[in-house]
Amino acid sequence: MSKKNISQDKIILSFLSSAYEKSSGATSLADVADSLEIKKASLYNHFENKEAIYSAALAYAEKEFSSINFTADKALDSIRNNKITINTLFKKLIVRYFNLFETEPAFHLYVFIYSEQFFNNKALSIVHNHQAKLADEIKKLLSAFIEENKLSDRTDKDLIDLSSSLASIILQQMNLYLSNRTEIIRQNPESGTGTLFELPTDDAVVNKVCKLVEAYLKLL
C-alpha cells in the first residue's frame, strides 16, 4: 500500500483491530504497520509514537460514541401519533442498537473503550458519557409516553432513575452479548476474527434482553 493511501484514521482503525486481538498494551507499531502493509517507519509520518496513536484512538472513539444514538429517527413521532406501544418500540430500538455494535469499527471501538476504562480516565469518561446519553434518550421516550397518557406520570427524579436503570440493563446485556460472541471466535482461532461479523445476530439472546426490559417496563 502506498504512503499516499495511508491516513491517520486508517492507522487508528488498524490499531483498534490489533488491540482487539492482542490488547492495546500488547499491540506494537510493527503490528499496525504489518496490517497496513507498510514499513513501520511510515507511521512516523502521521504519529510521533505508539502513545500518540493510543491518544488518537481515544479521541476517535469519543467522537464515534457521541454520534451513536439509541433512539431511531421518528421514534418520538411514532409515540405522539399513537402508532407504537412501549414494548414494541423498545424491542425495535434494542435490536437496532445491538446490530450497530456488531459491525466494524463500532465493535472494536466498544471493546477498546470498555477494556481501557479500567486503566485510563479518558476511556472511563467515554463509558460514563455513553451510558448517560443512553439514559437521557430513554428518558425522552418515557416522557413522550407519559405526555400521551400511555404511562402514569412520574417526577423528574423518578424518570431519571428509571432511565438510568434501563440503560444499565441494556449495556450490561450488551457487554455479555459481545463477550460471548467474541469467545466463539477465540475458541475457534482458525476461523479468524472477521468471522464474528459474518455471524447472524443471535435472536435468542437479543429477545432475552428485550424480555428483561419488558419485565422492567411492566413495573412502570
Side-chain angles (χ1 to χ4, degrees):
M1 183 180 292
S2 63
K3 185 174 70 175
K4 68 178 182 180
N5 291 325
I6 296 298
S7 66
Q8 289 193 350
D9 281 357
K10 287 182 179 180
I11 293 171
I12 290 169
L13 292 175
S14 176
F15 172 80
L16 290 170
S17 178
S18 183
Y20 164 73
E21 295 186 27
K22 297 185 174 184
S23 83
S24 63
T27 294
S28 67
L29 290 178
D31 293 325
V32 176
D34 288 346
S35 69
L36 293 170
E37 299 180 352
I38 61 174
K39 294 180 179 180
K40 187 172 73 172
S42 298
L43 295 175
Y44 294 111
N45 293 318
H46 302 275
F47 292 101
E48 183 177 352
N49 49 38
K50 177 186 165 181
E51 288 69 28
I53 298 177
Y54 179 85
S55 295
L58 286 172
Y60 182 89
E62 182 174 35
K63 179 182 177 182
E64 291 299 309
F65 268 80
S66 68
S67 69
I68 294 173
N69 297 315
F70 176 73
T71 305
D73 292 340
K74 299 182 179 179
L76 293 176
D77 289 340
S78 295
I79 297 171
R80 290 164 182 155
N81 293 329
N82 199 30
K83 291 183 177 180
I84 197 163
T85 66
I86 189 168
N87 288 332
T88 299
L89 177 61
F90 269 87
K91 182 172 183 177
K92 286 179 177 292
L93 293 178
I94 289 168
V95 170
R96 170 184 171 276
Y97 198 61
F98 272 50
N99 288 344
L100 285 175
F101 286 103
E102 286 187 303
T103 58
E104 297 184 76
F107 177 78
H108 287 159
L109 283 169
Y110 192 95
V111 173
F112 173 67
I113 288 301
Y114 275 79
S115 299
E116 293 302 309
Q117 67 172 312
F118 303 107
F119 312 104
N120 183 282
N121 287 334
K122 180 67 173 178
L124 180 61
S125 175
I126 294 171
V127 169
H128 285 171
N129 289 340
H130 180 60
Q131 182 161 345
K133 181 181 179 183
L134 175 57
D136 184 61
E137 291 188 64
I138 291 174
K139 181 175 180 287
K140 290 178 181 177
L141 294 174
L142 296 179
S143 295
F145 277 110
I146 290 172
E147 290 172 6
E148 298 302 317
N149 298 314
K150 301 300 181 182
L151 284 177
S152 57
D153 200 5
R154 296 287 196 283
T155 66
D156 193 59
K157 182 182 183 306
D158 284 343
L159 273 179
I160 291 173
D161 291 342
L162 289 168
S163 301
S164 295
S165 295
L166 284 169
S168 294
I169 290 172
I170 292 169
L171 289 176
Q172 286 170 3
Q173 294 301 315
M174 173 86 82
N175 285 333
L176 288 173
Y177 178 68
L178 294 180
S179 294
N180 288 338
R181 288 172 78 75
T182 298
E183 191 60 27
I184 292 173
I185 303 304
R186 289 182 175 163
Q187 289 178 0
N188 299 276
E190 70 281 356
S191 63
T193 57
T195 305
L196 173 69
F197 310 105
E198 297 174 2
L199 293 172
T201 298
D202 191 334
D203 293 331
V205 176
V206 175
N207 286 334
K208 176 186 174 183
V209 179
C210 293
K211 288 186 180 298
L212 284 173
V213 171
E214 184 177 337
Y216 193 86
L217 290 171
K218 287 181 179 179
L219 301 176
L220 302 183

